[in-house]
Amino acid sequence: MTHLPEPVRAVTVVQLPDGTYTYADAAHLPAPQAPPQQIVQHIHHAPPDRTVQRIALGSGVGAGAVAAGVYFGPLLVGALTAIAANLAILAFLAAVLAWGVVTVVKSVGGADGQAAAKSLSKARRR
């Protein structure tokens, strides 16, 4: 390092790219570079009900198919549930109506009604 006189203010001696030394004001030096901030990102698995969408994305299917699966999947489940509920109500109504018809035939039909009810009950047991 060449012999430079002591500076009056707080300055720093720096080496230029050509190899010479000079004074540099500390206020005009670039700020020391901090190391890059490390970002920790946690990747979580999709919930189990999104299996179809994950398979679709993995096989290269477009976003439209995934969006259709997300939209129509719950819609299909809702429609099937409504159908099952309607069938259950219809089965219950059929059982109640059959019981009512058997009861009316027994009470009103006399001997013929008793015989018909008896033959129905025998047919059910077999």
Side-chain angles (χ1 to χ4, degrees), residues 4-126:
L4 295 174
E6 286 297 319
V8 181
R9 298 186 302 162
V11 292
T12 306
V13 177
V14 294
Q15 185 178 8
L16 297 175
D18 63 357
T20 59
Y21 293 91
T22 186
Y23 294 117
D25 191 1
H28 293 91
L29 288 177
Q33 295 294 323
Q37 182 180 4
Q38 184 178 5
I39 298 173
V40 178
Q41 187 175 16
H42 298 282
I43 307 296
H44 297 283
H45 294 288
D49 60 339
R50 299 285 184 235
T51 304
V52 173
Q53 286 79 28
R54 286 191 291 140
I55 290 170
L57 284 175
S59 64
V61 175
V66 174
V70 170
Y71 180 77
F72 289 113
L75 199 65
L76 178 65
V77 169
L80 291 176
T81 304
I83 291 169
N86 286 339
L87 289 176
I89 290 171
L90 288 175
F92 177 73
L93 284 176
V96 168
L97 289 175
W99 174 79
V101 167
V102 168
T103 305
V104 168
V105 168
K106 271 187 186 180
S107 63
V108 174
D112 291 334
Q114 296 290 336
K118 199 175 283 187
S119 68
L120 278 176
S121 65
K122 283 182 185 178
R124 278 194 220 146
R125 284 188 219 149
R126 289 185 190 170

